[in-house]
Amino acid sequence: MTERLETESRKLLSRLQATLAEAGAGQERLDRITHLIADSMGTHVCSIYLFRDADTLELCATEGLNPEAVHQTRMRVGEGLVGRVARSKRALNTADAPNTQGFRYMPETGEEVFSSFLGVPIQRLGEMLGVLVVQSRDKREYSADEVYALEVVAMVVAEMKELGAFTGEGAALAAPHKNPVMIKGTVAQEGVAMGHAYLHEPRVVVTRLVADDTEAEIAKLREVVDKLRVSVDEMLDTAQGQDKEQLQILEAYRMFANSRGWMRRMEESISSGLSAEAAVEKEQSAARARLEQVPDPYLRERLHDLDDLSNRLLRMLTGQGSETGAEIPPSPILVARNIGPGELLEYGRSLKGIILEEGSVGSHAAVVARALAIPLIVHAKRITTDALNGDLVLVDGEQGIVHLRPDDTVQAHFSDKMAMQAKAQERYASLRDKPAETLCGNVVSLQMNAGLMADLPSLPTSGAEGVGLFRTELQFLTRSKVPRRSELATVYARVLDAAEGLRVVFRTLDIGSDKVLPYMKPQDEPNPALGWRAIRVGLDKPGVMRMQLQALIRGANGRPLTVMFPFVAQLDEFTRARDALLREMDREAALGRVLPETLEIGAMLETPSLAFSPNAFFEMADFISIGGNDLKQFFFAADRENERVRRRYDTLNVSFLSFLELIVSRCRDVGTPLSFCGEDAGRPIEALCFAAMGLRTLSMRPASIGPVKHLLRRSDLREVRAVISEARATGVMTVRPAVMEWLRHQT
């Protein structure tokens, strides 16, 4: 980096800072900036293009082009040289613009007389806000020094745009974080909620952009980076012996924290006139831009690590840590990039909804959200960028849509929807103590899914007849080490106490796939969903399974105990797991401990193979529960985390219903009780069809019991079965339209 560049960049930034400090409206400031840049760099043209929507750039200010083209000239991303810069997020430098690939002549601008072109992205943390352009009549490429200087200025313009310095009329100059935003995500937990955004980790806002004393700024950066290196080393020392993935992340942190190139680039930015925090954010923006261009997943993860490390450094420099002092707003909707189960549990039931940029349908956070019955949407792109603490948020956990700062029309429509649901819940509450008895006299047992003690108060108020699934993995996921047997026994005893004699089905530890314990060494598997998980882990690592089985027996303390083994794929796995439980019963008896009054041992049918097991399996199992979520994805070979394929396959597909019919038939032949557990059990139409196919026990989230019971009580299963049979006979793929049409004609 030459002294000339440092001096010229500092001069330009100093003039820019003075210009931005002057009073004036947004348009005036933009006009002054373009004049200043053109004058300082000795170019004939300087133009600023800003996004008016996600796909369209608008000329918002210019020095040198036709002023009448301002706010009239627009182009799509990828259109013309400006559009190319916006798409690539990289500088474009050419001496002969008219003959450069992608050039598009805009006659209204009068730019045909200018040959040289330099365009740089105006971006903040990888988010494109616009393009900054300089042009000259003479044919020449701009020097590396000039490109760098313009990039530094573009970074300052991006920060000022984010801070609202350029607000004015029109979409391109709209105040940031003011307009309504709709984001489409993926439903991880159903439900609707209205509340106010609360950012789990608020964005760092860099307000001091220009350095007054570059030497002092460099010294400040070095001091904070040294502290960062020490903290990373301490985290590594603490993490020794922990899982491999965590160690790899921390090793990447240490590599970047000690990177000379990383440090050099930030120091060069400070030498050019930026403050320490602005220099860090400039480097972070560049890293995020590279992140989006890298196809290799390993390199993407490493750049992600650099992004996280830059955030840590920014928080240390600005003092804007996670604890900002911001009060949790009324009816909080938690907004985060991602969040762990322990952190989510700390918020508890105070949350009305959760929105994550990342996450997955089967993530730890999703498991906890389901347990707490809090609507959750994942894959909500840009939510942490677009949302501010206190913003009004509508969470539609049925459609997978987030409305941020909705307009009055959307808000009114959503309020009506919530009011209708509230009225329906009042109607369902009147059915709480009534059986789910159909018009044809069949009674369906409706039970609830749970995983936390906090779930159990819902048992009497929901009208559930018991707990059809208690997920025991949550007690493991929310700890940093394996829980003690005595701790688990206490939890299981409290669950049975809260159930007050109602049946509770304890599913043994279901880990693996996307549920990796914090203290469990992750497995390098190409497809974890089909890998080493659930019962397979328990059988290969019998120590943990033995400990949990002992805790279940002791927690029962003489009361009935029902245990279910997950992800059983063949008879041998079930017999081995069943034998292990019976051995623990014998050991507990030999120790003189109180045994359960009765013991039921069942299996979760989540793999198609188990449906074709020998009769011995169906005779040996005391009960079977269909795990609908996993069974459906394996049946259709459609990953339920993949939006492209998961919605293509209907639960009421005739093939899937025929498969369920086979399972019902096999269980009926030997008298084995059968239930259906999963999200689909809580959807009224699906639940009605399951009952028509012969299923007499359904387990679902507590809030679904009322709607399901309401529909069952006003339906005749014989008629529904006839509708399904007639539809299947016509060769349709799904019976849903036929069933929906039948329902429309019911009173």
Side-chain angles (χ1 to χ4, degrees):
M1 185 66 60
T2 65
E3 180 62 31
R4 174 182 170 278
L5 167 62
E6 295 169 3
T7 303
E8 291 304 317
S9 294
R10 284 200 299 271
K11 284 182 180 178
L12 180 53
L13 280 178
S14 180
R15 291 184 66 187
L16 182 60
Q17 184 179 31
T19 297
L20 290 171
E22 296 175 11
Q27 186 64 56
E28 293 177 69
R29 285 181 165 176
L30 285 172
D31 292 340
R32 288 201 298 262
I33 289 171
T34 55
H35 174 78
L36 167 67
I37 295 172
D39 182 61
S40 297
M41 294 186 66
T43 61
H44 297 107
V45 173
C46 177
S47 304
I48 293 176
Y49 297 81
L50 298 176
F51 277 97
R52 59 177 287 110
D53 57 47
D55 302 309
T56 311
L57 287 153
E58 181 177 300
L59 176 62
C60 290
T62 187
E63 173 77 15
L65 297 183
N66 182 0
E68 293 182 1
V70 173
H71 299 303
Q72 301 303 313
T73 296
R74 294 170 187 170
M75 61 197 69
R76 309 282 288 178
V77 172
E79 183 181 10
L81 299 187
V82 173
R84 276 185 61 187
V85 175
R87 171 169 287 172
S88 68
K89 298 186 179 181
R90 294 176 182 173
L92 176 60
N93 184 5
T94 176
D96 187 6
N99 291 310
T100 299
Q101 182 181 2
F103 176 80
R104 182 192 170 196
Y105 174 52
M106 308 288 249
E108 72 273 17
T109 65
E111 63 180 339
E112 67 273 11
V113 298
F114 305 108
S115 296
S116 63
F117 174 98
L118 171 59
V120 299
I122 301 172
Q123 60 181 332
R124 183 181 186 275
L125 301 183
E127 177 195 1
M128 283 296 299
L129 302 177
V131 177
L132 177 60
V133 175
V134 292
Q135 296 170 270
S136 296
R137 290 189 178 90
D138 50 320
K139 288 187 176 183
R140 70 177 183 94
E141 279 199 11
Y142 293 90
S143 69
D145 293 352
E146 290 172 313
V147 174
Y148 184 85
L150 197 64
E151 287 177 335
V152 170
V153 172
M155 185 261 182
V156 175
V157 171
E159 286 293 340
M160 299 309 296
K161 172 75 168 68
E162 185 73 5
L163 292 170
F166 308 130
T167 56
E169 294 184 8
L173 298 185
H177 308 296
K178 296 295 183 185
N179 288 339
V181 176
M182 188 189 82
I183 300 173
K184 183 75 173 74
T186 302
V187 177
Q189 167 62 18
E190 295 175 346
V192 294
M194 178 186 295
H196 298 87
Y198 183 72
L199 273 70
H200 178 58
E201 288 189 341
R203 292 177 298 115
V204 175
V205 179
V206 177
T207 56
R208 196 176 65 90
L209 301 170
V210 181
D212 297 321
D213 183 339
T214 56
E215 290 184 4
E217 291 296 313
I218 289 175
K220 176 183 177 182
L221 177 68
R222 289 174 178 173
E223 179 185 353
V224 176
V225 168
D226 284 341
K227 290 180 180 178
L228 180 68
R229 289 168 178 161
V230 170
S231 69
V232 171
D233 288 340
E234 289 174 349
M235 285 190 291
L236 259 170
D237 291 340
T238 304
Q240 291 302 323
Q242 299 296 325
D243 67 77
K244 182 180 178 182
E245 184 178 14
Q246 183 181 1
L247 286 171
Q248 285 179 338
I249 291 171
L250 291 175
E251 287 288 0
Y253 280 1
R254 180 156 66 181
M255 178 187 71
F256 286 124
N258 288 280
S259 167
R260 292 181 181 178
W262 184 55
M263 194 69 184
R264 174 178 51 77
R265 289 191 296 273
M266 291 188 292
E267 289 184 356
E268 286 172 350
S269 292
I270 293 175
S271 296
S272 73
L274 291 178
S275 66
E277 48 265 46
V280 173
E281 189 163 280
K282 182 177 183 297
E283 178 62 21
Q284 187 180 18
S285 288
R288 285 200 180 179
R290 292 196 300 271
L291 183 67
E292 295 185 5
Q293 306 295 325
V294 175
D296 182 79
Y298 176 79
L299 291 178
R300 284 180 63 85
E301 281 302 314
R302 297 291 71 82
L303 284 170
H304 205 166
D305 294 337
L306 177 57
D307 190 35
D308 283 343
L309 194 69
S310 299
N311 267 330
R312 289 174 180 267
L313 188 54
L314 274 175
R315 294 188 187 285
M316 293 171 72
L317 281 167
T318 62
Q320 298 176 37
S322 300
E323 297 297 327
T324 60
E327 291 187 7
I328 297 181
S331 302
I333 305 288
L334 187 70
V335 174
R337 192 170 74 178
N338 215 333
I339 190 169
E343 294 172 304
L344 189 51
L345 280 170
E346 288 179 10
Y347 287 103
R349 291 185 182 273
S350 64
L351 299 177
K352 298 298 181 183
I354 307 164
I355 310 168
L356 301 180
E357 269 193 19
E358 299 175 359
S360 66
V361 173
S363 67
H364 301 170
V367 172
V368 173
R370 289 188 199 110
L372 296 174
I374 299 173
L376 167 63
I377 292 179
V378 297
H379 306 152
K381 292 184 178 179
R382 292 176 42 84
I383 185 65
T384 58
T385 301
D386 288 335
L388 293 179
N389 276 335
D391 279 343
L392 181 64
V393 188
L394 311 180
V395 178
D396 189 337
E398 295 172 355
Q399 303 297 320
I401 293 173
V402 175
H403 294 281
L404 183 62
R405 298 181 295 272
D407 60 30
D408 292 342
T409 303
V410 172
Q411 188 176 341
H413 175 76
F414 199 83
S415 296
D416 290 344
K417 181 177 182 177
M418 292 187 69
M420 290 176 63
Q421 290 195 350
K423 288 181 180 178
Q425 287 298 332
E426 291 178 11
R427 185 168 67 249
Y428 302 147
S430 66
L431 303 176
R432 185 181 63 195
D433 299 322
K434 296 179 180 179
E437 184 174 0
T438 64
L439 295 178
C440 54
N442 286 293
V443 178
V444 181
S445 175
L446 303 183
Q447 304 190 3
M448 63 174 273
N449 300 331
L452 296 167
M453 281 302 302
D455 292 322
L456 274 301
S458 301
L459 189 52
T461 58
S462 67
E465 298 175 37
V467 178
L469 168 65
F470 189 89
R471 307 179 185 92
T472 62
E473 60 269 13
L474 287 179
Q475 286 72 46
F476 289 78
L477 289 170
T478 55
R479 286 171 166 81
S480 58
K481 59 182 180 180
V482 179
R484 296 176 181 271
R485 178 176 54 197
S486 58
E487 293 174 335
L488 291 179
T490 299
V491 170
Y492 302 150
R494 289 172 59 201
V495 170
L496 290 170
D497 289 342
E500 297 182 344
L502 294 177
R503 182 172 180 259
V504 178
V505 179
F506 290 97
R507 183 179 69 186
T508 60
L509 190 57
D510 186 5
I511 55 170
S513 186
D514 49 12
K515 291 182 291 202
V516 180
L517 301 180
Y519 40 85
M520 173 183 171
K521 182 180 179 181
Q523 302 301 306
D524 184 15
E525 297 182 299
N527 191 342
L530 297 175
W532 196 58
R533 54 177 291 199
I535 192 63
R536 298 167 181 176
V537 177
L539 293 174
D540 289 352
K541 300 286 185 181
V544 174
M545 187 165 77
R546 279 191 59 197
M547 182 270 288
Q548 185 182 24
L549 295 177
Q550 291 167 3
L552 284 166
I553 294 168
R554 295 178 190 182
N557 195 28
R559 291 171 289 190
L561 176 63
T562 304
V563 177
M564 177 168 65
F565 293 107
F567 209 66
V568 177
Q570 57 186 10
L571 171 61
D572 176 63
E573 291 173 338
F574 180 67
T575 55
R576 289 170 61 196
R578 181 176 180 274
D579 289 346
L581 177 51
L582 294 176
R583 280 197 302 272
E584 294 312 315
M585 288 282 286
D586 292 340
R587 287 194 180 99
E588 293 294 293
L591 292 171
R593 298 189 183 277
V594 178
L595 297 181
E597 178 185 347
T598 58
L599 176 65
E600 291 180 281
I601 307 175
M604 206 158 198
L605 197 157
E606 300 168 270
T607 62
S609 63
L610 195 61
F612 299 96
S613 286
N615 280 337
F617 164 69
F618 292 91
E619 293 167 350
M620 186 183 302
D622 294 322
F623 66 95
I624 294 171
S625 180
I626 295 172
N629 296 342
D630 265 331
L631 183 64
K632 189 167 73 172
Q633 78 166 340
F634 296 143
F635 184 83
F636 289 114
D639 183 359
R640 61 191 178 110
E641 303 284 350
N642 189 333
E643 280 293 291
R644 288 183 176 180
V645 297
R646 78 184 187 99
R647 293 188 180 276
R648 296 175 66 174
Y649 299 98
D650 190 353
T651 305
L652 301 186
N653 180 287
V654 293
S655 299
F656 191 64
L657 287 181
S658 297
F659 184 55
L660 294 183
E661 191 175 32
L662 167 70
I663 299 169
V664 170
S665 175
R666 295 207 66 182
C667 288
R668 184 187 294 128
D669 288 346
V670 295
T672 302
L674 176 66
S675 64
F676 188 104
C677 175
E679 295 170 7
D680 289 320
R683 298 187 172 107
I685 306 300
E686 281 83 340
L688 178 65
C689 292
F690 293 162
M693 302 306 291
L695 283 154
R696 292 294 177 264
T697 302
L698 305 174
S699 189
M700 63 202 72
R701 65 189 183 107
S704 297
I705 290 175
V708 170
K709 184 183 291 187
H710 175 71
L711 182 57
L712 287 172
R713 285 178 58 85
R714 62 188 185 93
S715 300
D716 187 321
L717 297 184
R718 294 170 300 188
E719 293 182 22
V720 179
R721 178 72 186 222
V723 170
I724 292 173
S725 297
E726 289 173 11
R728 287 200 292 190
T730 64
V732 296
M733 286 181 58
T734 174
V735 304
R736 187 179 300 277
V739 174
M740 293 291 290
E741 181 65 22
W742 175 81
L743 281 171
R744 275 191 284 270
H745 291 88
Q746 303 307 299
T747 55

